[in-house]
Each structure stands twice: as C-alpha cells, then as structure tokens.
Amino acid sequence: MYAFDIERPSTIADAVKALKDEDAQALGGGQTLIPTLKQRLAMPSALISLTGIGEMKGVCLADDGAVCIGGATTHATVAKEAAAHYPGLAGLAANIGDPAVRNRGTVGGSLANNDPSACYPAAALGSGATIITNTREIAADDYFQGMFETALEEGEVITEVRFPVPEKSHYQKFVQPASRFALVGVFVAKYADGVRVAVTGASENGVFRWSEAEAALSADFSAAALEGLTVSAGEMIADLHGSPEYRAHLVKVMTGRAVTAVA
Amino acid sequence: MASVTMTVNGKSVSGDVEGRTLMSDFLRNDLRLTGTHIGCDTSQCGACVIHVNGEAVKACTMFAVEADGADVATIEGQANADGSLNVIQQAFQDHHGLQCGFCTPGMVMSAAALLKENPTPTEREVREYLEGNICRCTGYHNIVKAIMAASGQDVSAIAAE
Ligand SMILES: Cc1cc2nc3c(=O)[nH]c(=O)nc-3n(C[C@H](O)[C@H](O)[C@H](O)COP(=O)(O)OP(=O)(O)OC[C@H]3O[C@@H](n4cnc5c(N)ncnc54)[C@H](O)[C@@H]3O)c2cc1C
Ligand code: FES
Ligand code: FES
C-alpha cells in the first residue's frame, strides 16, 4: 500500500469536509477498499473513515413504513435488525460473504462500489430504494449506471438508504464458491402495484431489472408464469465460472426459485 | 504516524502506527502476538480472525487506527487463567480438529464468536459460520465436530474421526 493518513470524523459534516480534498477517499468497512489498496490500485492521500459516525449507523422505520438503513451500517446489523421489518432484505444481508466480512462491510460501501456481482445492488434496485447522500436523494433506477459505475459524484457520501417494504420478497443467490459473491443473484419483490425483479452477477452492465419477468409475475405471482420467457445471453458476463448462456439460464432458474420460496 | 491505544486480551497497549498499518501487522510486529496468522492477506482464508469489541473480524482487512479505543481479543488470550486450554481449544485437541495448525487460531476465534451468538449450533450452522475460514489439511470434518463438542453436544453420531 502507498502511505496515507486515516481520519475518523464523528459527524457527516466533518466527513464531507474532509472529503473535499480531491485525494481523500471514504473508508467504509474496508472489505473492498483495503484489498484494492494492497494491490496499489488506488493512491489516496487520506482515508476518511465513516464507521465512527453515529448518525450513519442503524436501522429504523420511516413514517411511511419504509426501512431506513444508515450508510455505515454493517451487513451483520442489517441481518439482525431488519429481520422483523423486511425479511427479504435481512436474508440477503445474512448471506453476504462470511461472518467476519459481514461484521465490517457496510451497505453504503457496497452500493458505492457497485460490483457487478454484489448482492445489495439487487436489493436496492429490486425494492425501488432511494439512495440518500449528503446532497440529494437518488432513485435506485437512476443510481446504477453499469459495472462499478454509479450516479455518485466525487466526495459524495451515501448517508442512508430507504427501502420500501414489499408484501413478499426473496433473494436467491447462486454462490460462486471461491469469491462468495453471486454467480447470479435475483431479488424478487412483490408490491401492491406490481412485482420488481433485479438481477446481479449476470450482466456486463451490472445489476438490471428483468422487465418481462416483472410483467409476467405482476399478472401471476408463480414460477409457472416465467415458463415462456427467455433471457438473452447477449450481454452476460463470460468468465471461467460460467458462460453467458449458463448465466442467462440461471437468471430464470433463480427468479423461479425466489418466487417459489415466498409465493 | 498516529498513536493508538487499545485493550488487547485484557491489557491496555499503545503504539505508533502509520495509517496503512494493518491490524494484523500491529499485532504481529509491534505487539509480537504472532498467533494471529496471515494465510492469504486478501480477506479470503480467515487465519487472521480476531475479535474487536466482541465481533469476529479479519485482522488483515482492518487498519490498526480503526481499533483505537477498542477491546481486542486474540488467540493468545483464549486459554483459561491457569494456562490450561479453554473448552474450544481442548475440543480441537480431543477431536483432532487440526493437523498443521496454521488455520487453527482463526478457527478457534470464529468458533468462539459463533458459540457466543449461538450456544448450541447445528452442524449446518457450524459449517455456514466457518464459510470464511479455510483449512488446507483437515477436510473440516473434525473441526466441525470439535466445535459441536465444545458446545456440549453429543458428537458420537457424527461420522469417523
Ligand atoms: C471474502 C469476501 C466475500 C464477500 N462476499 C460478498 C458477497 O457475497 N456479496 C456482496 O455483495 N459483497 C461481498 N463482499 C463485499 C463486501 O460486502 C464489502 O463489504 C462491500 O462490497 C464494500 O463495503 P465496505 O463497507 O467494506 O466498503 P469499502 O471497502 O470501505 O469501500 C468500497 C468503496 O465504496 C466507497 N464508500 C464506502 N462507503 C461509502 C459511503 N457511505 N458513501 C460513499 N462511498 C462509500 C469507498 O470509498 C470505496 O470506493 C465480500 C467481500 C469479501 C472480502
Ligand atoms: S490472512 Fe486475513 S483472511 Fe487470510
Ligand atoms: S490444520 Fe493445516 S490449514 Fe488447517
């Protein structure tokens, strides 16, 4: 690693101020950033740790029933504290990586990174969540902009994520056993006004909504409703773990399993 | 350089560290607590698992500065006060839960975190909890058995030693 300083502010305002320096970078749980620094793929002058900011941690319920999660909340805390309010989301958090990763990794770090195989992007897009930063609110549909690309500006901090709670939801993850990320993961959420289906791990463009499945499931919430549908292998990821065709096939299988789990 | 102060295995310790000093390096190089092993240094293997404020974390994927003020536990603090092995360590010995022993500090620390959260886990829960701990020698079977035994459960029905 190149040398850098670490600052541990206790308020969002102080963190935002420290991040004004263009060579400063936010540090969440470090579960992605520290390996990146070890490979010398980043050279910040300072890391601004967000994990000591009390106002960015914890799970609560908004007046409209949405689950609000502070940007520096760990996966382990979401798994525990969101379980009663939003079991589909808590279940997703409970299966990220391994226990030690879940004790450090944060929702804000995961969404800021937008790894094409990460789990949280599927929950955020599948729930139509709102990503709240120090300057604005961004709808999930506008937030994800391709592999590792998001709507975040330089120095912008995810302070909170607001998830509308569906009637039913489930995340099915086909684990890539070496990395423990999703080879393909599908988040299905049934709301009063329709079903949302978000797919991670599969596409070269990162997380996406499978709109044909959304339409079919909104009319008939059963795995059988997916029978006639096909997923194009066109923009699917090809690597040694799976071909584009294999991933396209898995999208449908995992969607069906997610629906069956809660239908 | 930044100065850090923390409690490690019940004792207050201080040191001067760089921002980039990993917790694993602080423990091993500055405090000479070399029981925390570095198997991969890429957050994959779990040989470096310690507890920070009671939670299992990978010491190779955390900065020493981030543990400033924290209560830290490492494998060196696990034995009973009289120096005898604690119940988890003893179970690893009794059930042949290690061969070369390289992964063992991390396994014991993960097991301790699991049993604190879930005092009588099922075999499946033990295996799931060890997702981030890799062992090149044992094939895991006797590790799982040792942890089940340490939780006070009868392991005679679990297949061969
Ligand atoms: C062994 C292992 C297995 C894993 N398995 C999975 C898995 O199955 N599924 C999965 O989804 N993920 C997995 N992960 C990734 C893990 O969830 C990370 O915690 C997550 O991707 C990054 O979160 P973090 O808090 O650690 O962020 P960091 O590593 O600290 O930061 C990542 C990036 O986000 C930025 N950032 C951090 N917080 C914020 C914020 N609040 N606002 C703006 N920018 C911010 C940082 O500057 C950096 O660019 C795994 C990681 C490991 C090491
Ligand atoms: S050395 Fe830390 S996980 Fe392998
Ligand atoms: S006993 Fe050798 S790596 Fe586990």
Side-chain angles (χ1 to χ4, degrees), chain A residues 1-4 6 8 27-31 34-35 37-38 47 49 51 97-101 103-104 178-180, chain B residues 1 18-20 22 41-45 49 55-58 60-63 65-68 128-129 131-132 134:
Chain A
M1 279 180 275
Y2 297 107
F4 48 78
I6 297 184
R8 300 172 82 201
L27 173 66
Q31 301 302 292
I34 295 177
L37 292 166
K38 286 179 180 176
L47 294 185
S49 168
T51 49
D98 57 59
V101 167
N103 282 337
R104 297 289 303 165
S179 74
R180 292 166 219 131
Chain B
M1 295 291 257
E18 286 189 74
R20 62 181 168 178
L22 295 168
D41 207 25
T42 59
S43 2
Q44 298 295 325
C45 77
V49 169
E55 291 182 336
V57 304
K58 292 174 181 172
C60 76
T61 310
M62 170 176 190
F63 295 113
V65 170
E66 295 181 279
D68 189 30
E128 275 175 4
Y129 203 87
E131 193 75 50
I134 293 175

Side-chain angles (χ1 to χ4, degrees), chain B residues 98-103 135-138:
Chain B
L98 62 147
Q99 289 179 28
C100 78
F102 195 86
C103 69
C135 176
R136 302 302 297 265
C137 303
T138 63

Side-chain angles (χ1 to χ4, degrees), chain A residues 22-142:
Chain A
E22 66 169 325
D23 293 325
Q25 188 172 359
L27 173 66
Q31 301 302 292
T32 295
L33 185 53
I34 295 177
T36 310
L37 292 166
K38 286 179 180 176
Q39 292 176 299
R40 293 194 160 188
L41 292 173
M43 197 168 66
S45 59
L47 294 185
I48 313 305
S49 168
L50 305 175
T51 49
I53 302 176
E55 54 187 322
M56 274 179 65
K57 294 203 309 203
V59 176
C60 69
L61 279 186
D63 292 341
D64 65 0
V67 169
C68 303
I69 302 182
T73 310
T74 63
H75 309 328
T77 299
V78 174
K80 243 180 272 150
E81 295 184 10
H85 313 300
Y86 192 168
L89 178 66
L92 172 141
N95 281 308
I96 291 177
D98 57 59
V101 167
R102 295 195 288 274
N103 282 337
R104 297 289 303 165
T106 65
V107 61
S110 180
L111 293 176
N113 196 47
N114 192 21
D115 187 297
S117 303
C119 302
Y120 262 118
L125 190 61
S127 308
T130 304
I131 287 101
I132 301 169
T133 75
N134 54 303
T135 54
R136 58 192 169 136
E137 303 197 350
I138 312 169
D141 283 316
D142 303 323

Side-chain angles (χ1 to χ4, degrees), chain A residues 198-241:
Chain A
V199 180
T200 188
S203 169
E204 288 180 338
N205 302 318
V207 67
F208 68 94
R209 284 173 69 185
W210 184 17
S211 42
E212 290 87 354
E214 291 184 349
L217 292 170
S218 296
D220 170 16
F221 193 68
S222 76
L226 302 169
E227 258 161 36
L229 305 184
T230 50
V231 182
S232 157
E235 291 182 333
M236 296 286 153
I237 297 171
D239 60 20
L240 81 166
H241 307 293

